[in-house]
Amino acid sequence: QVHLVESGGGLVQPGGSLRLSCAASGSILSTNTMGWYRQAPEKERDLVAVIPSDGVINYADSVKGRFTASRDHVNNTAYLQMNNLKLEDTAVYYCHAFGIQRTLRPFEVWGQGTLVTVSS
């Protein structure tokens, strides 16, 4: 099995910064894509950033220029650097990944979520 563990959420004032981490563990042969999603209260889960194994990182328009996603391919870890946070960034942030296990079976997993609260 493959598991994702997120960390780094918390309370921050508008204009502040936070850095989220997502560590994948388990029987991983390769991780194709890792991504970040968020779900605000009473809203659907939306894409924040998708990080392919190679190629261009895709960001939601609402976070372009403020958030930077990255990956450590060796350690199967993803990061989300969030700068100039706004009230509307308040949400539970989820990490997502899919790839191939050492058994050659595919996997797709979600993390447990980490709460980011932007408030003055």
Side-chain angles (χ1 to χ4, degrees):
Q1 287 189 337
V2 178
H3 302 277
L4 300 178
V5 177
E6 300 126 334
S7 60
L11 174 64
V12 64
Q13 292 185 340
S17 298
L18 282 175
R19 187 181 192 228
L20 306 183
S21 299
C22 170
S25 63
S27 180
I28 299 172
L29 178 63
S30 64
T31 305
N32 295 341
T33 298
M34 297 187 77
W36 292 96
Y37 294 74
R38 67 185 181 185
Q39 187 166 16
E42 300 181 358
K43 292 190 176 181
E44 295 185 353
R45 189 174 298 186
D46 292 326
L47 179 146
V48 175
V50 173
I51 316 165
S53 57
D54 55 13
V56 178
I57 298 173
N58 184 33
Y59 294 94
D61 288 342
S62 59
V63 306
K64 284 180 180 177
R66 301 188 297 122
F67 290 11
T68 302
S70 60
R71 281 178 65 173
D72 177 343
H73 294 273
V74 173
N75 295 310
N76 287 313
T77 302
Y79 304 95
L80 185 67
Q81 177 66 42
M82 304 184 294
N83 297 328
N84 190 22
L85 282 159
K86 302 177 180 180
L87 296 175
E88 54 264 38
D89 293 319
T90 295
V92 177
Y93 284 70
Y94 296 92
C95 182
H96 173 265
F98 70 84
I100 305 297
Q101 300 179 73
R102 292 196 183 99
T103 59
L104 302 184
R105 300 183 68 175
F107 72 84
E108 180 178 9
V109 293
W110 289 90
Q112 81 284 0
T114 185
L115 178 63
V116 172
T117 303
V118 184
S119 175
S120 56

